[in-house]
Each structure stands twice: as structure tokens, then as C-alpha cells.
């Protein structure tokens, strides 16, 4: 089972670097292109919306520093942050050196300082996760703990984003203030009033906008130019500077017949509108990461830990160790994953599992960090803390999903990267064309400016990642964890859902329904069966043992499990066989005299477990029953309403399976399949051209889950160790299967809509601009509008709910 914080891929090392300064899809494509030119890079995926670069590389051939430098050379910055850790167990200066050396070797670490006296380490790095730093220190033999862990990281990002947003707002306000008089004079003009400002006043106002508020476009534009490529800022700078220069030239060197037309309002408007668009965009982009921020806020800052003498000590939640006993009062948030060892309560786990009803917790039950305690006071022994906790796992999973790149995005990025040079070429052609056609070079220039301004590929770059971020976020809110963009794309194509029977459609808590001895009485038969089943983990075994209760069981020796058939063991010198017909017939045990009765139970959906003694024949049979989950019939009906074929796959016998499938309304049954035959059955469906989702509990169904186009692991809400599955359901609710497929469909259709509009917009707008039908100011407005509408369209996905059509 892969660890969520594991950063070593099978081929090389994987790092996620934050990247600042990307404004459009051509930027992300450019970074990817430059990175892939480096020797030793296996894959590089840059996400515009998440502002990250995911790089898989061979550390022997290229270093994280090289990667960072390449991104910076391409014209972007890789911000660093300092992580504070406490390190225990260092006794001397040489320990300090050892820790420092180990950490400094990590990819992406640029500075490390370890302080022996305060037992802390400060590590400056661009690598997003700090888990590998902890691991590196622990490998040298010391204990390390993050002082600022998941939440603190989130908070730092949060604060930075807020500052950036405020700067954007101030900048926008300045631009608007200086542009308004320019707009006003145009307006008066429209009403026939002659309110034109003197040229030098216009020059002053426009220059303030151009080089004050618009200053920020020049740096990135210059960097892009130096790197031999183009970006959106370059288009803006070229366009607006051209308009500004033309007008400034006219003010400073007026023509004999007066000043001629000035285009200051155009250059200033474009800048103001683009700033406005970016402001809205970054505000909306923050909305796309809302799901993660909500989860990060779940874990409380502090925990009350019971010390050895029985007193309660309040500690930072991050310093609770596994094994500590934590006291949780009514209404408090659970700080760690753990097991209730005292008290009883009910807990609201809705933010983790999407389950709105409180779940009751008694001694022995597991609790999950982030849940809200109900009315009881409980003592919980911590089992998983920090990066190993369920909450950290969920956050990591969603973060990975959100930064993963949909296959279609690669194509989009490729298009975007050739976009800028093509646009510049079209702009030049426009200029030359209008000049040659006799309209004068100035008209040509203004039309060229319009082309430059309108063609920014911003919306194109935001179309896919914003939809994925919102889609995976809203899914998580409902308890559906989607691993990556690929799972999303596959899930929306699914036309067949295969359910493992036990535990997914049924509750999986089997009960003995009837005991039918051939020799002896009920209790003797149950006792013999239970003695053998003692060695089994199967739900049938648990049912039989539960029926005997705490009664004395004989010891079993030579226990053998026959997967998919039953078990065998020696009890009191007798060889006992327990299992299905196949097992009985394999040992030549005749069941014929009891078939009528047995099949009656099977026709009611019960499973018949035969008990026999080798050499003596049948001892009797036990019927065990499982109950369907209440929501299972509706869940199946929901899938069928979506046009999806539903299949039950089970090792149980045909009659039992068909009875249960009939009750639940499934269209097909594949029964009597041995455990290792399940993935073969999935493959057979796929060979028929079906796109298959397999729903299982993720443990013994792992091969079938992996074989399916989409593996859907149904968790219990406390176990997210199921990362092999493309989709993990945080609670055992079968209706979430339709929900998962539906949210995937909704997200992918959002992506298509976004891409369509982004392309459509450029295809329509470019010829209009070149043809002189638009003005630079209108182009600026349209540009801003297109990115904002794409992001807003993605945000509409937030309204998605389970049980609703796309
Ligand atoms: P599934 O997971 O699809 O319900 P399994 O492969 O676990 O099916 O089991 C298939 C069948 O094998 C069961 O229905 C039962 O008849 C028999 N079997 C498996 N394990 C046991 C057991 N421990 N005791 C009795 N019967 C068993
Ligand atoms: Mg099973």
C-alpha cells in the first residue's frame, strides 16, 4: 500500500515545486518544455491553477536545484519556505552535522540549520511536502516532528494569498482612478460635449496607468522575451505600449493640422481591464481550493493528553505521539486518529465521510481526527498521528488529484505554446495589411494592438485545471475521493458497474439463520463448526463464532483455508470440513438428502454452509444470512437510470446470489467465482467492450479493482489506505457509486464546455480584431471576461450534489 507522503516513485524521485508568476497556459507549457529538455527528467507536469510543477526525475542525472534553476531561467520564481522542526535525541555537535548533512542531501533543500540547544531544525526548501524531511532525519536515528505541519502550511499559503489579493486590489484601484477621467471624456464626446482633456493631461494619466499599475506586466514580458518565447504579459505589453507610444508621440510632436486622434484611453483601459480580470480570477481560483482549506481547518490546534499521573496536559496537536491517551470533551474536535478506550459518545464525521448522521462510538471503536465529538466524554488512544493520519492522507490525496493533469490538457498546452508567436505574426500581418490597403499605418497599428490584446490564451489554460480542482473538491465533500484526472476521465465513460456482493451491497455482518444437524443437536454442530472457524477471518466464520458466543471451543490443528470454498481442520482427532457444495463434492460427501431444505434457504438469499467429517459424512448444515444495505436497491436503480449495467460478482452459490440480486434489482449475476477468478471476470466484461467500474472493499478484491477501468474502494471512513483504487468512497454507502460516476461526468463535461468556449472565443475574436471590427478597449474587456467566465463556470460545479443528474 503506497504511503501518501511517499515521494519516491518507482523510477526516480518526485518533487512538487511551487511556481509563481504563471499567467497563462503558454507559461505552463513553456516550463514543461524547458524541463523536459533537461537530462534526467522523466515527467514534468505544470499546473497553472494550482501553481505547481510536479517533476519525476533521476537524481543521479539531474538535481532538484537544476530543476529549480531551469524554472527560474524560464522566467518564473520558485518561492521557498522555511520549515521549523523539533529534533530530539541530539547529544553533541556531530549529531547536528549529521542531521544537517542528511537534510541538505534532500532534493530541493537550499538551506538547513540545526540548533542543538533548542533542538530545532530550520529547513529552507521549495519542496511542498515536509514529510520527507522528517523521514530523512529519522533515518539518521533522531526523532523529528514538524512544528508547523499540514495546517500551518495551509495557513502560510493562505496569508500569502490574502496579501497578494490585497496588492492586486490596490493596483486595480490606482489603475481605475487614473483611467476614469479618460473614460469620462469619451462619454462626454458621445453626448456631443467637447470635454476632451488636453493632450499632456491625457499623457500623464495614461503614463501613470501604463508604467505604474501596469509595471507588473513588463518584468514577466521581458523574461519571456529573454527566454526566447512569449506569454500573455508580452502580448499585453506589446499592444498597450504601442498604443501609448503612438499617442505620446503625437502629444510631444504635434502635427501641423492639430493633434490627431489619441489612443491613451485604449492603452489605459486594456491595462485596467486585464488587472480587473486577474483580480477576479485569483479570487475565483482561491474558491477552487476551498475543499482543501476546509479540511485543513478540521484538526484542532491543541489536544488534551493524559499524562502518567492522570493529569491532563494541553499540548499542540502535532506533538501527540502514537500511543498517547487523549481526552476528548463533548463538542470538541477529535485531534488524532485512535481507538476509544473509555467512555461512549457519538461523533459527527460528516466533513470526512459526507455522512450527515452522527456515528455512535463505544469502547474499541475507531475515531478519526477531524470528527466532532457529540455529548459524551471519551478517552482515545492515538494510533495514527501527523502525516500518517487519515485527515493528512485525505488532504494529500486531494492535493495530488487537483494537481494532476488531464490527458486533454497536454494537447491544450501544446496549442497554447505555439499561440503567442502565431498571434504576434497575425498582428504584424494586420498592421502591414491595413497599411498597404491605404488606411494608414496608424489604423493598422491600432488593429494590430487589438489582435495582441484579444488573443491571450488565458482561458485556455484555466479551462481544465479549475474544473478538476472544483470537481475533486466537491466530490471529497461528499465522501468521494478521486485519485487523479485519469480516474475522472475513465469514470465518466463507465457503462458497467460490478459489485462485490458481501460488504458492498450487503452489510457484510452475517448471522446464523438456521442450524440443521444430521447427527447430534444444534449446539454440538455449532460448537464443532465454530472450533474450526476460529482460524478463519471470513464473515461466515465470524457469524458462526458469534452464534456460539463465549462457549468453550475445542482447539483446532492443521487448519487449512480453501479460498472460495471453505475451511478444514482437525478437532479432537476428527477432520472437519466446512464450506460449500464444491468442497463437499471434492471430498465425496453426499448432500443429496438435504438439498431440498438447503435450496429453500438459498432461494431466500441465505448461504448454506455444509459441515462434514471426513470418513463419516455430513454432520449437518448451517444457513447464514446477510442483509442488504437499506440504500442498496435505490443505489442500483440510480445506476440503471444512468443507463449503466449492474453486475453482482460473488464466490457465493448461484441461487443465493440470484435471490439477493433479484431483491436488489441488479441486471446480472456472476456467481461461484473463486477469489482469484474475479479479475478474470472483469477482464472478460472488458473484452466485450464494456468500460467497467469494480466496487469492492479493496482488500481481497485488489486484483479485480486494479483490472477494472476504475477501481472503487468502499471504505469505512477511517481507512484511506486504499490508494490503489482510482476512487475511494469514504463510507460504505452504495449510492455513492452513482455519485462518483456522476461527479466525474459533470466535471468532464465542464472541462469540455470550458475548452469549447475558450477556443470558440479566440476563433471568433481573432478575425474580428484583425478585420478592424473591435477596438483595443473592447478586446481588453472580452479578454478579461473570457478567463473570468471559465473560472466561474468551473465554480458552478460546487453546487453538485449526490443523487442529482449532471
Ligand atoms: P464472496 O467474497 O464473493 O462472498 P468468497 O470467495 O469469500 O465469496 O467465498 C465463496 C464461498 O466459499 C462462500 O459463499 C462460502 O460458501 C465458501 N466459504 C469461504 N470461506 C468459508 C468459511 N470460512 N467457512 C465456510 N464457507 C466458506
Ligand atoms: Mg469476499
Amino acid at each position: 500500500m503506497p504511503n501518501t507522503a511517499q515521494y519516491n516513485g518507482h523510477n526516480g524521485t518526485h518533487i512538487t515545486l511551487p511556481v509563481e508568476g504563471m499567467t497563462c497556459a503558454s507559461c505552463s507549457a513553456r516550463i514543461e518544455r524547458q524541463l523536459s529538455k533537461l537530462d534526467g527528467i522523466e515527467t514534468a507536469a505544470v499546473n497553472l491553477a494550482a501553481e505547481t510543477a510536479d517533476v519525476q526525475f533521476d537524481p543521479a542525472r539531474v538535481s532538484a536545484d537544476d530543476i529549480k534553476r531551469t524554472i527560474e531561467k524560464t522566467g518564473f520564481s520558485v518561492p521557498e519556505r522555511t520549515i521549523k522542526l523539533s529534533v530530539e535525541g541530539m547529544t553533541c555537535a556531530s549529531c547536528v552535522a549529521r542531521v544537517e548533512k542528511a537534510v541538505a542531501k534532500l532534493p530541493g533543500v537550499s538551506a538547513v540549520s540545526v540548533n542543538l540547544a533548542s533542538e530545532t531544525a530550520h529547513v529552507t526548501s521549495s519542496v511542498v511536502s515536509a514529510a520527507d524531511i522528517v523521514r530523512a532525519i529519522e533515518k539518521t536515528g533522531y526523532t523529528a516532528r514538524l512544528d508547523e505541519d499540514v495546517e500551518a502550511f495551509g495557513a502560510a499559503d493562505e496569508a500569502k494569498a490574502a496579501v497578494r489579493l490585497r496588492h492586486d486590489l490596490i493596483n486595480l484601484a490606482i489603475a481605475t482612478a487614473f483611467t476614469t477621467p479618460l473614460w469620462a471624456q469619451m462619454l462626454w464626446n458621445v453626448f456631443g460635449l467637447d470635454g476632451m482633456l488636453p493632450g499632456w493631461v491625457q499623457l500623464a494619466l495614461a503614463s501613470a496607468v501604463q508604467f505604474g499599475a501596469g509595471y507588473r506586466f513588463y518584468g514577466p514580458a521581458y523574461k519571456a522575451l529573454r527566454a526566447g518565447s512569449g506569454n500573455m504579459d508580452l502580448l499585453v505589453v506589446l499592444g498597450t505600449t504601442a498604443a501609448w507610444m503612438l499617442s505620446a508621440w503625437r502629444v510631444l510632436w504635434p502635427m501641423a493640422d492639430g493633434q490627431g486622434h489619441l489612443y491613451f484611453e485604449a492603452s489605459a483601459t486594456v491595462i485596467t481591464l486585464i488587472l480587473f480580470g486577474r483580480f477576479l480570477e485569483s479570487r475565483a481560483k482561491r474558491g477552487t481550493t476551498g475543499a482543501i482549506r476546509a479540511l485543513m481547518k478540521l484538526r484542532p490546534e491543541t489536544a488534551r493528553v493524559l499524562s502518567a499521573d492522570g493529569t491532563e496536559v494541553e499540548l499542540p496537536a502535532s506533538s501527540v505521539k502514537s500511543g498517547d491517551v487523549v481526552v476528548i470533551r463533548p463538542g470538541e474536535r477529535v485531534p488524532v486518529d485512535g481507538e476509544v478506550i473509555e467512555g461512549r459518545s457519538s461523533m459527527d464525521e460528516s466533513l470526512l465521510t459526507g455522512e450527515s448522521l452522527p456515528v455512535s462510538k463505544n469502547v474499541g471503536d475507531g475515531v478519526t481526527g477531524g470528527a466532532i465529538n457529540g455529548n459524551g466524554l471519551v478517552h482515545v488512544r492515538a494510533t495514527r498521528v501527523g502525516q500518517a493520519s487519515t485527515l493528512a492522507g485525505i488532504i494529500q490525496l486531494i492535493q495530488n488529484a487537483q494537481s494532476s493533469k488531464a490527458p486533454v490538457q497536454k494537447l491544450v498546452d501544446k496549442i497554447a505554446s505555439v499561440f503567442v508567436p502565431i498571434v504576434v505574426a497575425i498582428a504584424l500581418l494586420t498592421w502591414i495589411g491595413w497599411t498597404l490597403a491605404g488606411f494608414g499605418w496608424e489604423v493598422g497599428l491600432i488593429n494590430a494592438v487589438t489582435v495582441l490584446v484579444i488573443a491571450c490564451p488565458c482561458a485556455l489554460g484555466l479551462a481544465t485545471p479549475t474544473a478538476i480542482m472544483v470537481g475533486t473538491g466537491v466530490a471529497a465533500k461528499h465522501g468521494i475521493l478521486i485519485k487523479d484526472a485519469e480516474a475522472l476521465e475513465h469514470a465518466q465513460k463507465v457503462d458497467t458497474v460490478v459489485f462485490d456482493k458481501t460488504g458492498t451491497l450487503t452489510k457484510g455482518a452475517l448471522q446464523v439463520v438456521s442450524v440443521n444437524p444430521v447427527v447430534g443437536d444444534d449446539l454440538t454442530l455449532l460448537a464443532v463448526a465454530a472450533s474450526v472457524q476460529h482460524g478463519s477471518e471470513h464473515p461466515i466464520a465470524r457469524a458462526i463464532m458469534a452464534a456460539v458466543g463465549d462457549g468453550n471451543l475445542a482447539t483446532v490443528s492443521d487448519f487449512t483455508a480453501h479460498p472460495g470454498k471453505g475451511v478444514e481442520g482437525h478437532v479432537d482427532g476428527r477432520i472437519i470440513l466446512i464450506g460449500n457444495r464444491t468442497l463437499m463434492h471434492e471430498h465425496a460427501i453426499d448432500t443429496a438428502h438435504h438439498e431440498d431444505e438447503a435450496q429453500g434457504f438459498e432461494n431466500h438469499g441465505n448461504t448454506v454452509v455444509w459441515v462434514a467429517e471426513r470418513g463419516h459424512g455430513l454432520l449437518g448444515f448451517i444457513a447464514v444470512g446477510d442483509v442488504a444495505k437499506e440504500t442498496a436497491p435505490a443505489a442500483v436503480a440510480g445506476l440503471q437510470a444512468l443507463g449503466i449495467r449492474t453486475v453482482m460478482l460473488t464466490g457465493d452459490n448461484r441461487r443465493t446470489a440470484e435471490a439477493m440480486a433479484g431483491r436488489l434489482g441488479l441486471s446480472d449475476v456472476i456467481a461461484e467465482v473463486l477469489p482469484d477468478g474475479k479479475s478474470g471476470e472483469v477482464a472478460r466484461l472488458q473484452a466485450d467492450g464494456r468500460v467497467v467500474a469494480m466496487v469492492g472493499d479493496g482488500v481481497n478484491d485488489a486484483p479485480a479493482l486494479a483490472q477494472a477501468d476504475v477501481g472503487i474502494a468502499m471504505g469505512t471512513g477511517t481507512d484511506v489506505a486504499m490508494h490503489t483504487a482510482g476512487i475511494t468512497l469514504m463510507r460504505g454507502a452504495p449510492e455513492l457509486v452513482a455519485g462518483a460516476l456522476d461527479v466525474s461526468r459533470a466535471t468532464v463535461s465542464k472541462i469540455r464546455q470550458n475548452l469549447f468556449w475558450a477556443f470558440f472565443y479566440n476563433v471568433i475574436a481573432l478575425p474580428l480584431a484583425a478585420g478592424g471590427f473591435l477596438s483595443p478597449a473592447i478586446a481588453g474587456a472580452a479578454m478579461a471576461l473570457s478567463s473570468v467566465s471559465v473560472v466561474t463556470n468551473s465554480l458552478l460545479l460546487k453546487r453538485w450534489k449526490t443523487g442529482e443528474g449532471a
Side-chain angles (χ1 to χ4, degrees), residues 161-434:
V163 167
R164 214 173 345 158
L165 211 58
R166 198 163 57 234
H167 279 170
D168 286 357
L169 191 62
I170 293 171
N171 218 22
L172 175 61
I174 294 172
T176 314
F178 285 99
T179 310
T180 311
L182 294 171
W183 283 331
Q185 61 169 1
M186 298 307 293
L187 214 60
W188 288 322
N189 230 358
V190 173
F191 293 114
L193 300 166
D194 185 21
M196 289 307 268
L197 295 165
W200 60 270
V201 175
Q202 293 194 39
L203 174 63
L205 290 169
S207 302
V209 178
Q210 186 74 34
F211 305 108
Y215 174 72
R216 56 166 59 196
F217 295 112
Y218 283 88
Y222 171 67
K223 278 191 202 159
L225 210 56
R226 206 182 43 185
S229 60
N231 61 4
M232 153 162 189
D233 300 86
L234 185 63
L235 295 179
V236 173
V237 162
L238 281 180
T240 56
T241 312
W244 178 87
M245 267 165 58
L246 172 63
S247 314
W249 176 67
R250 279 189 171 155
V251 171
L252 298 175
W253 291 279
M255 287 180 290
D257 57 343
Q259 213 168 41
H261 192 77
L262 299 181
Y263 295 99
F264 284 127
E265 90 287 343
S267 63
T269 304
V270 167
I271 290 197
T272 305
L273 284 175
I274 291 176
L275 288 175
F276 181 57
R278 286 213 184 157
F279 170 72
L280 289 183
E281 188 185 303
S282 49
R283 232 185 44 177
K285 258 161 73 179
R286 261 163 59 86
T288 61
T289 53
I292 295 232
R293 272 182 285 127
L295 285 170
M296 282 178 170
K297 287 198 197 110
L298 283 185
R299 188 131 48 112
E301 300 270 306
T302 59
R304 224 169 275 111
V305 175
L306 210 57
S307 56
D309 59 5
T311 54
E312 293 172 17
V313 209
E314 191 151 332
L315 291 177
S318 57
S319 46
V320 176
K321 289 190 280 295
S322 163
D324 282 353
V325 175
V326 179
V327 180
I328 304 164
R329 304 219 174 115
E332 280 183 346
R333 259 183 207 294
V334 179
V336 291
D337 289 0
E339 190 188 312
V340 177
I341 54 167
E342 205 183 306
R344 61 164 57 188
S345 186
S346 65
M347 286 186 189
D348 173 0
E349 298 178 338
S350 58
L351 287 159
L352 294 160
T353 65
E355 168 64 64
S356 52
L357 295 175
V359 183
S360 81
K361 300 287 177 187
N362 292 315
V363 172
D365 287 341
V367 299
T368 314
I372 305 168
N373 188 19
N375 290 326
L377 183 139
V378 287
H379 288 189
V380 166
R381 190 184 305 284
T383 51
R384 290 190 296 188
V385 297
Q387 292 293 323
S389 68
T390 303
L391 189 57
I394 295 175
I395 291 172
Q396 183 88 45
L397 201 77
I398 302 174
Q399 269 171 343
N400 286 345
Q402 294 194 332
S403 62
S404 76
K405 197 160 253 188
V408 59
Q409 180 66 21
K410 303 213 169 88
L411 177 70
V412 173
D413 287 354
K414 212 170 271 164
I415 295 172
S417 69
V418 296
F419 214 72
V420 173
I422 290 178
V423 166
V424 173
I426 295 177
L428 278 176
L429 284 179
T430 306
W431 190 1
I432 296 168
W434 282 86

Side-chain angles (χ1 to χ4, degrees), residues 499-503 510 532-533 535-542 544 559 561-568 578-581 583 607-610 624 626 649-653 656 670 672-676 678 697 700-701:
F499 285 96
D500 177 56
K501 179 181 65 127
T502 318
L510 276 63
V532 180
Q533 291 289 17
S536 170
E537 288 278 308
H538 203 274
I540 291 180
R542 267 181 264 143
I544 292 176
F559 174 83
H562 302 285
K565 295 175 195 162
V567 293
E568 177 180 348
I578 308 178
N580 56 18
R581 266 182 206 89
L583 186 72
T607 301
V608 168
V609 184
W610 302 91
V624 293
D626 198 355
L649 182 61
T650 180
D652 216 337
N653 90 81
T656 310
I670 306 176
E672 297 171 25
V673 182
L674 292 180
D676 50 5
K678 287 188 179 174
D697 49 20
N700 52 8
D701 307 309

Side-chain angles (χ1 to χ4, degrees), residues 4 110 113 174 192 205 239 289 345 389 455 496 503 540 603 614 643 653 686 723-724 771:
T4 45
S110 63
S113 78
I174 294 172
L205 290 169
T289 53
S345 186
S389 68
T496 306
I540 291 180
N603 287 333
R614 249 203 211 169
N653 90 81
Q686 287 170 320
H723 294 111
T724 40

